Every structure is written in structure tokens, then in C-alpha cells.
Amino acid sequence: MNHLDRDTLNLYLDAQLSDSERAAVEQHLADCNACRAEMSAARELFTALAQWQDKPLPRDLTASVMARVAEERSGARTTRRLALVLGAQALVAFGVALWLALPRLGYLGELVPQMELGTWLAVGRTLLQVGLPIPYVPPTQVAAVLLVLVLLWLVSNHLLLGKRDARKQERV
Amino acid sequence: MAWSLALAWHGPLAGARAALGRGVKLDDAELAARTLNGDSDAYGELVRRHQKGVYNAAYRLVGNKQDALDLAQEAFLRAYKALATYDPARPFAPWIHTIVTNLALNLLRQRRPHASLEDDETLAADERAQPERALASRERQDALRRALLKLPPRQRAVIELRHFQDLSYDEIAQALGISVSDVKSELYRGRQRLREWVER
């Protein structure tokens, strides 16, 4: 008689066999003492694992988990605010650059305020292909714009990150 | 259902704490949905419900209280971040246990495995009631605990997910990123070793 292999025994115990396979195994078990003994030994392990007693929790984790969750939420909020501020800064920088450049772009400068979206895109494509005209901007104006942008950066970072640092200090 | 009517009456702004305070039993899927809508009390309740099970899963895998506590906390934080990927049609427990099992596996791969579990400091209720019978059961369980910790990490994880979380072969394969045939062979080898060590 061919005995059941251990793989089949495991699949049987894990209820992974089809109905016909299961019936065949049960038929074999009814006729074979050796396989019945093997199955019984395997079942003992299953029973021991099923009777496992959980340990008591050494301490409640809710408060510490929720503190970390709060930190995570505030971090996510800061990142969103930072993205918003960076976006605003980029817009301001673009606006200032455009304001400085328009009077110096000649005929293009006069056209820009009247252009529609399609024209904007066409001009953008052309400029990408032929290169941007580089207008002359006096160094004092460049320095002033840079100064304003740096100030904006510092102020917004202080507003965003200062609060987070203060919260960290409070926790410490 | 009564609790859903009660919630409707109190409106959407009523938080999980208020609902629970009125004796309303929210299920895990409802708590997860409320968490995603910004109700952090709801997540607190999920942690309270599942912390013991998650801690014990971690403890079985790493065999050390402090590591198990750290892993359980980390698992809840990861679960919070990934809550949008949780399928509310399925139970929450196997999902969070899969997370803690993977975290424990990573830890075990980085470290040498512990030789044995720490000694138990507490006796279970039935051990106090029936000392002799309980002692035999306790000895058998201790032998099993020690044997479990001698298994290679992946076999330990497969045994954990199959026997303690009742995951199917397919679910285990998906959770651990291995093939179903690997699950079968790891389960088979793991069980063989456990039997040999426990019977020794």
C-alpha cells in the first residue's frame, strides 16, 4: 500500500484539498494504521498551536501610538503647507521676473498681455526650440528681487517649521 | 442597525469617542473609515482593540518584550499611514498582523535570532486554578515557544500567519512576497522541525 506523503497530510490538515482528494485521503486513513498515526501526531502540533495562550500586554500602547500619529499628521500638514508656500513663492518669482522682463522684450513684451492660451503655448514651444531672449536687467534690481525672495523664504519657513520645533520642545 | 441610527441622529460630526461613549459598538471597518475622515479617536479605538494580538504576534516572532512592543507600535504607525489601502470588506486583524509580521521579519534578518523567549512573569488564570494540569500544558507551550524561535525567520512568519492569523496559502504568499509553493514547503519544514523539537 502506498502511504500518504507528508505534503498531502499537511494539505489535508490545512483544508487545501478538493472534495474528491479529501475523500480519498479519508478513505486511505480508514484503512492505514501508519498514516493514521502520522496524521494524529501532526494534529497534536496543530492542537498545541491552537491552544496557545497570549501574553498580557506589558503596557497600553494607545497613548504612545496616538502621539506618533499626531506627529505624523502634523508632519503631513507641514509638508502640505510647505508645498503651498513654495508654489506661491515660485508664482511670485515668476511674476516679478515677467514684470522686469516685459519692458525689455521689445515687440514680444507688447504682445504678451494680449495673447490667448494657444498663443502662449505656441510661443513657449518656439522659445524652447530657439532659446529664450535674455533681457538686460540692472544688477540692483536682480539683487532687490533676490532679497525679497530670500526674505519670503525665511519668513515662511519660520512660520511653518518654528511651530513644529516648538511642539517637539514641549514633548521633550 | 441600532447603532447606525444613533450615529445618524448625532450627525457626522459626532466622533468615535462620542459614539463609543454612548455604548455604540463600531466595527473595525467603520473605525478605519472614520480615521480616514480625520477622526483620530477612531484610530485610538482600533489600537486598543488590536494591540494585544499585535504585540503577541510580534512576541512570538522575536521572543523579546521590548522588541515586540516597539514592533507593535511601529506596525500601528505604518498601518495608519497605509490605512487608505486597507480593504474594509476584509477583517482588520489579519491586515495589521501581516504588517507586524513583515516588520519582525526585517528585524530578524538584521539581527541574530534570540536563543529563547524571556521567562514568563505571570501565570494564566487556569494555571492558578489547576496547577498540575496547567504545569504540563505550560511546559508544552514553553517547549513550543522555544522551538518556534529556533525556526528560520521565514518559517516562523509562515507558521505565524497560517496558525495564528488563519491566512490562506495565497494570502500568506501575497503578504510575504513569496510563491505559494514556497509557502507550502516552508510550512511543511517548519512544522516538521517544531514536531521534532517539541517531542525531543
Side-chain angles (χ1 to χ4, degrees), chain A residues 6-7 10-11 13-16 37-38 41-42 44-62 64-66 68-69 72-73, chain B residues 38 40 44 47-48 51-52 55-56 59-60 69 72-74 76-77 80-81 120 122 124 126-127 140-141 144-145 148 162-164 169 187-188 191-192 195:
Chain A
R6 289 187 163 183
D7 207 16
N10 272 279
L11 291 171
L13 287 167
D14 281 327
Q16 298 290 314
E38 178 64 27
E44 265 184 44
L45 177 68
F46 276 59
T47 307
L49 288 168
Q51 289 172 345
W52 191 282
Q53 285 181 348
D54 273 355
K55 297 280 170 201
L57 195 64
R59 63 182 168 81
D60 194 310
L61 297 174
T62 316
S64 52
V65 169
M66 293 316 290
R68 289 184 67 187
V69 162
E72 177 67 25
R73 286 168 64 140
Chain B
S40 58
V47 175
R48 257 184 296 278
Q51 57 181 342
K52 190 178 174 195
Y55 163 76
N56 270 281
Y59 187 59
R60 274 189 295 272
L69 281 170
Q73 279 192 66
E74 186 61 29
F76 280 114
L77 190 67
Y80 176 80
K81 289 184 198 170
D120 296 346
T122 49
D126 70 325
E127 289 178 41
R140 192 172 64 161
Q141 183 157 328
L144 197 54
R145 280 180 196 278
L148 199 56
R162 177 67 204 147
H163 284 275
F164 296 96
Y169 288 5
L187 252 184
Y188 172 68
R191 284 168 178 166
Q192 280 305 108
R195 276 176 59 183

Side-chain angles (χ1 to χ4, degrees), chain B residues 135-155:
Chain B
L135 188 65
S137 149
R138 185 182 159 91
E139 278 172 3
R140 192 172 64 161
Q141 183 157 328
D142 283 348
L144 197 54
R145 280 180 196 278
R146 281 192 295 276
L148 199 56
L149 284 177
K150 285 189 208 163
L151 292 178
R154 202 161 82 168
Q155 283 176 18

Side-chain angles (χ1 to χ4, degrees), chain B residues 54 57 61 75 91-105 157 160-161 165 167 171-177:
Chain B
V54 171
L61 289 161
F92 184 78
W95 186 68
I96 181 86
H97 281 91
T98 300
I99 295 175
V100 80
T101 302
N102 273 304
L103 287 173
L105 258 185
E160 168 67 30
L161 294 176
Q165 311 312 326
L167 261 56
E171 287 168 333
I172 297 170
Q174 206 179 348
L176 300 179

Side-chain angles (χ1 to χ4, degrees), chain A residues 3-64:
Chain A
H3 291 301
L4 295 173
D5 61 73
R6 289 187 163 183
D7 207 16
T8 308
L9 282 177
N10 272 279
L11 291 171
Y12 176 79
L13 287 167
D14 281 327
Q16 298 290 314
L17 297 177
S18 66
D19 288 348
S20 59
E21 289 168 329
R22 190 174 181 81
V25 167
E26 282 166 0
Q27 179 63 52
H28 180 86
L29 287 173
D31 301 335
C32 178
N33 287 337
C35 286
R36 226 177 13 255
E38 178 64 27
M39 178 69 81
S40 163
R43 266 194 216 280
E44 265 184 44
L45 177 68
F46 276 59
T47 307
L49 288 168
Q51 289 172 345
W52 191 282
Q53 285 181 348
D54 273 355
K55 297 280 170 201
L57 195 64
R59 63 182 168 81
D60 194 310
L61 297 174
T62 316
S64 52

Side-chain angles (χ1 to χ4, degrees), chain A residues 32-171:
Chain A
C32 178
N33 287 337
C35 286
R36 226 177 13 255
E38 178 64 27
M39 178 69 81
S40 163
R43 266 194 216 280
E44 265 184 44
L45 177 68
F46 276 59
T47 307
L49 288 168
Q51 289 172 345
W52 191 282
Q53 285 181 348
D54 273 355
K55 297 280 170 201
L57 195 64
R59 63 182 168 81
D60 194 310
L61 297 174
T62 316
S64 52
V65 169
M66 293 316 290
R68 289 184 67 187
V69 162
E71 202 173 302
E72 177 67 25
R73 286 168 64 140
S74 96
R77 262 201 306 272
T78 304
T79 309
R80 274 198 302 274
R81 272 193 224 153
L82 197 62
L84 211 67
V85 169
L86 284 176
Q89 285 176 352
L91 264 176
V92 169
F94 180 72
V96 171
L98 203 64
W99 173 65
L100 287 172
L102 276 183
R104 296 171 176 83
L105 285 175
Y107 73 96
L108 200 58
E110 291 169 19
L111 280 177
V112 166
Q114 303 160 22
M115 288 193 315
E116 289 175 357
L117 183 63
T119 327
W120 271 101
L121 292 175
V123 169
R125 229 180 359 255
T126 313
L127 287 178
L128 280 177
Q129 283 163 2
V130 300
L132 280 165
I134 302 171
Y136 172 76
V137 182
T140 48
Q141 285 191 15
V142 173
V145 168
L146 282 176
L147 192 67
V148 168
L149 289 178
V150 167
L151 277 173
L152 255 174
W153 171 260
L154 289 174
V155 167
S156 50
N157 277 1
H158 173 74
L159 287 176
L160 289 168
L161 304 178
K163 280 183 192 168
R164 193 174 64 177
D165 291 343
R167 276 197 298 273
K168 273 189 181 167
Q169 286 285 334
E170 277 171 24
R171 272 203 298 278

